[in-house]
Amino acid sequence: MKFSPYITELLQQKVKRELRLSSDCEYLALDIESVTGEHIGVNTLKRLLGFIDDEREPRPSTLDIIARYLDFENWDLLKCFDDKSNSSFSAAEDEIRTIDLPLGQRIKISYLPDRLIELEYGGDGWFVVRESQNSKLQEGDELEIAHIVKGYPLLVSQVRRGRADLGSFTAGKAQGISFKIL
């Protein structure tokens, strides 16, 4: 089994580094253990990320550790998103590529249980939060987002709050997000 690009991207965001070399798996294994308190072997990660050509299925407990590391309750919940992203088409009205947006375009994003954020596009993939209700994001936060897809989590590559870099942020992990272009 090899992880899909979706799960690999989630891992890269969490570990805050690209996973391009097999040696990156050592760093990832240490980070997983420091976050979850549970150990996953470096060679297991190399197999799952495609650095070792081996089709052995990992133990379910290993996959659950990875899911918990990515802030999902268990592998089944994470796999639900993985299955959807592995191969599917989305209608044009269900996806926004940020490079296609005009400057100043506003987008309202909602997700469960009662979260709402309104973003304004500033160019080069960056948005400013103009309104935030019940979200960890705050008005004025700057977000780097490549694309927005209905029914999937919102993956924010980078959050800046004032001069502080807060790292990556994921919204709508359980059910995905909805959006409306204003």
Side-chain angles (χ1 to χ4, degrees):
M1 171 185 173
K2 180 181 171 190
F3 284 147
S4 70
Y6 172 76
I7 291 179
T8 301
E9 174 65 24
L10 288 177
L11 287 167
Q12 289 179 141
Q13 284 185 4
K14 180 75 173 191
V15 77
K16 296 182 175 95
R17 100 187 289 165
E18 281 189 73
L19 301 171
R20 296 183 310 111
L21 307 170
S22 63
S23 59
D24 295 328
C25 294
E26 294 172 23
Y27 185 86
L28 178 61
L30 290 171
D31 198 51
I32 289 171
E33 190 163 354
S34 73
V35 169
T36 66
E38 300 177 89
H39 177 77
I40 295 180
V42 173
N43 283 336
T44 298
L45 290 172
K46 287 179 180 179
R47 279 195 302 278
L48 292 170
L49 290 165
F51 295 110
I52 294 176
D53 190 21
D54 185 343
E55 290 299 316
R56 280 187 280 174
E57 288 294 316
R59 294 182 186 138
S61 60
T62 298
L63 298 174
D64 281 341
I65 292 168
I66 300 239
R68 285 191 297 275
Y69 172 70
L70 293 172
D71 300 319
F72 285 82
E73 195 171 314
N74 57 48
W75 178 255
D76 292 335
L77 183 56
L78 176 57
K79 187 71 175 129
C80 170
F81 288 110
D82 185 37
D83 286 342
K84 285 170 50 176
S85 67
N86 228 357
S87 49
S88 65
F89 294 101
S90 62
E93 66 271 6
D94 291 341
E95 181 173 0
I96 298 172
R97 294 178 354 143
T98 61
I99 60 170
D100 295 335
L101 292 174
L103 291 176
Q105 179 69 64
R106 287 191 178 226
I107 301 168
K108 194 169 277 200
I109 296 174
S110 60
Y111 52 101
L112 294 176
D114 59 352
R115 314 289 193 251
L116 178 74
I117 54 175
E118 186 175 314
L119 308 176
E120 182 178 337
Y121 187 59
D124 294 326
W126 284 91
F127 292 81
V128 174
V129 177
R130 294 297 179 204
E131 181 183 347
S132 178
Q133 295 176 14
N134 305 312
S135 172
K136 292 179 182 178
L137 297 172
Q138 298 177 5
E139 289 182 27
D141 284 352
E142 297 174 330
L143 314 177
E144 184 179 29
I145 303 171
H147 64 276
I148 301 168
V149 183
K150 281 184 185 173
Y152 288 84
L154 176 67
L155 302 176
V156 180
S157 302
Q158 188 176 3
V159 178
R160 292 189 301 219
R161 182 171 292 155
R163 295 178 190 243
D165 180 359
L166 303 180
S168 63
F169 178 78
T170 305
K173 290 179 189 175
Q175 303 288 329
I177 58 113
S178 292
F179 68 82
K180 181 179 179 182
I181 298 175
L182 304 175

